[in-house]
Amino acid sequence: MTGVTYITTSKEKKAFLEFPYRHYKKDANWVPPLKFEVRKRLDTQKNPFFQQAEMALFLAEKDGEVAGRIAAIIDHRYNSYHNTQTGFFGFFESIDSDTVTDLLFRSASGWLEARGMETMMGPASPSMMDEVGILVDGFEKPPAIMMPYNKPWYGTLLENAGLSKEMDLFAFDVDQSTVDRERMARAVGLVKRRIPGMNVRPIRLKKMQQEVEIIRQIFNKAWSRNWGFIPLSKAELEQLARDLKMILDPDFAHIVDVEGEPVAFSIALPDYNQILSDMNGTLFPTGLFKLLTRRKSIRRIRTALMGVLPEYRGKGIDAVLHHQSIENGLKRDFYSSELSWVLESNTEMVRVAERIGAIQNKTYRIYSKSLR
């Protein structure tokens, strides 16, 4: 027998949190996220995203065992910004069962529809600044830090439940064998001659609050016309900065100034997923020791966030930022970098990735469904 529960108790919420750790136990490419990080994302009282959003959680059971989960989310700021009535789903997981998946989406869409939503889109877990998309191509290796991973059958389950493609997000991989360093160096030299007042500097960790505000201002202007964009609030970016400060590395996080004025930024992160795979989502009793002793073995970065002010686009500044992180990484024996995610509609960024020798290695898909 199969049924779905609307989560109201701490015991049910714990089952919601724990399900993936059993679901992926034998999947060599799944990297268990740290449980305290997942709890923070789900915490409607402490996560600043929920200052303007609401969420309901649902748990599916089949024959007395947890078989799936889903969250229904309303981001009021998204709807206000886009003048729409869009609800989101997130944190989706399921066994390979159309029945379970259908019940989960009926529950989520019913909750959203009862609150006036006309479209359901996702996954976003819980926001577009968190893990988004269903992996539909590139299952042969683990995901980079803060990128999702799922069973290969998820795309089919969603399509059978009546959802269809809304947008694809690409991940590109560049490594020592594919990067054209000479071509990149020539391009960077050309950009620097064209913009003589340009300076690339590392993010100042000791002035993090000031740097965060610079990044927020650039991001909100740079991304304003991109699909799925909503302006980042100060509280959200400050929370993100607190989360990332322990792993942020100045060799891979930069701001570009022109004549002393910030015009672009890039944040790449050491790929901690390379050392999290056998920690089962917890730092205790031995996980913290593993984290501290193994982090010097990380040999991969992920460019997670980048923004260039509209008036400086098309001038090659994005390539300069990629070049800086790649060159710094090579000096420290980092062998590869992932650029993710890139909207399929962002043809300019796709071309930049291809020009520096990056190869598309994963595709994530956002799905949608009309609730009318």
Side-chain angles (χ1 to χ4, degrees):
M1 187 172 178
T2 305
V4 173
T5 300
Y6 172 70
I7 290 178
T8 58
T9 70
S10 57
K11 182 179 179 181
E12 291 164 347
K13 193 168 185 178
K14 183 180 179 182
F16 184 98
L17 174 71
E18 294 284 351
F19 175 64
Y21 297 86
R22 176 169 57 83
H23 186 50
Y24 291 99
K25 190 173 183 179
K26 296 182 180 180
D27 194 321
N29 286 328
W30 184 67
V31 179
L34 292 172
K35 293 179 183 179
F36 78 90
E37 292 289 350
V38 181
R39 287 192 192 97
K40 281 200 295 188
R41 279 192 282 152
L42 289 168
D43 193 329
T44 56
Q45 301 300 313
K46 296 181 179 179
N47 185 343
F49 168 72
F50 291 108
Q51 292 174 6
Q52 300 181 67
E54 54 187 303
M55 178 175 70
L57 305 178
F58 299 90
L59 199 64
E61 290 191 355
K62 183 177 181 181
D63 300 327
E65 295 284 339
V66 177
R69 69 177 196 179
I70 198 168
I73 303 148
I74 300 175
D75 184 345
H76 297 291
R77 187 176 38 170
Y78 179 95
N79 286 329
S80 176
Y81 186 84
H82 291 278
N83 192 28
T84 185
Q85 291 294 100
T86 298
F88 289 85
F89 71 92
F91 299 99
F92 170 75
E93 303 285 358
S94 176
I95 63 172
D96 190 5
S97 166
D98 286 333
T99 301
V100 170
T101 302
D102 190 55
L103 283 172
L104 286 168
F105 276 97
R106 282 190 193 182
S107 300
S109 60
W111 187 88
L112 294 170
E113 193 173 5
R115 286 154 181 79
M117 299 300 104
E118 298 174 353
T119 305
M120 177 171 61
M121 188 165 69
S125 305
S127 78
M128 292 295 291
M129 289 301 296
D130 293 296
E131 291 186 2
V132 297
I134 292 289
L135 181 66
V136 295
D137 179 57
F139 294 94
E140 59 277 2
K141 61 181 182 178
I145 184 172
M146 297 173 67
M147 292 296 285
Y149 177 83
N150 52 260
K151 298 289 189 181
W153 61 71
Y154 278 22
T156 301
L157 288 179
L158 267 62
E159 289 167 11
N160 290 347
L163 288 88
S164 57
K165 173 188 168 181
E166 179 73 23
M167 178 67 70
D168 276 355
L169 319 172
F170 299 147
F172 291 88
D173 197 49
V174 56
D175 62 31
Q176 294 179 21
S177 66
T178 61
V179 64
D180 190 337
R181 296 178 68 189
E182 290 186 8
R183 181 180 180 183
M184 285 188 74
R186 288 195 301 269
V188 168
L190 182 61
V191 174
K192 288 182 176 179
R193 288 194 294 272
R194 287 176 177 172
I195 314 175
M198 184 181 72
N199 175 55
V200 182
R201 64 171 179 83
I203 284 178
R204 299 167 296 190
L205 297 181
K206 291 183 179 179
K207 296 185 177 180
M208 198 63 178
Q209 190 169 355
Q210 182 180 333
E211 302 287 64
V212 163
E213 184 56 25
I214 290 172
I215 290 169
R216 188 176 77 90
Q217 293 289 340
I218 296 174
F219 177 86
N220 284 346
K221 292 175 183 176
W223 279 66
S224 61
R225 295 188 179 181
N226 280 0
W227 175 91
F229 167 79
I230 54 171
L232 266 178
S233 71
K234 188 175 181 179
E236 281 179 300
L237 202 55
E238 285 177 348
Q239 178 65 56
L240 183 62
R242 284 193 293 271
D243 291 344
L244 297 181
K245 192 171 182 179
M246 292 297 293
I247 63 173
L248 202 64
D249 189 320
D251 275 347
F252 310 122
H254 300 95
I255 289 176
V256 174
D257 298 321
V258 174
E259 303 295 344
E261 292 297 318
V263 302
F265 76 92
S266 174
I267 296 176
L269 302 168
D271 187 6
Y272 274 75
N273 272 12
Q274 290 192 318
I275 60 174
L276 291 175
S277 58
D278 65 345
M279 290 166 57
N280 200 34
T282 181
L283 292 180
F284 302 99
T286 61
L288 183 60
F289 176 77
K290 291 179 181 178
L291 195 68
L292 294 173
T293 56
R294 294 180 181 177
R295 60 184 177 184
K296 289 185 179 180
S297 67
I298 296 173
R299 291 292 177 264
R300 176 179 169 84
I301 60 173
R302 176 199 163 208
T303 299
L305 208 57
M306 180 179 285
V308 181
L309 289 180
E311 58 266 36
Y312 284 91
R313 280 198 198 125
K315 298 180 183 292
I317 290 177
D318 39 16
V320 171
L321 285 164
H322 285 309
H323 176 260
Q324 188 73 54
S325 291
I326 289 171
E327 288 298 311
N328 286 353
L330 289 171
K331 291 174 186 175
R332 291 170 51 180
D333 295 327
F334 281 67
Y335 63 81
S336 72
S337 171
E338 180 172 290
L339 318 178
S340 60
W341 42 265
V342 178
L343 291 167
E344 65 174 335
S345 59
N346 192 346
T347 53
E348 182 179 336
M349 188 56 72
V350 170
R351 284 197 296 268
V352 168
E354 292 171 345
R355 281 200 298 269
I356 67 174
I359 298 171
Q360 184 186 332
N361 69 331
K362 289 182 184 288
T363 302
Y364 300 86
R365 183 160 294 164
I366 301 290
Y367 288 84
S368 65
K369 178 181 181 179
S370 173
L371 300 180
R372 293 180 175 179

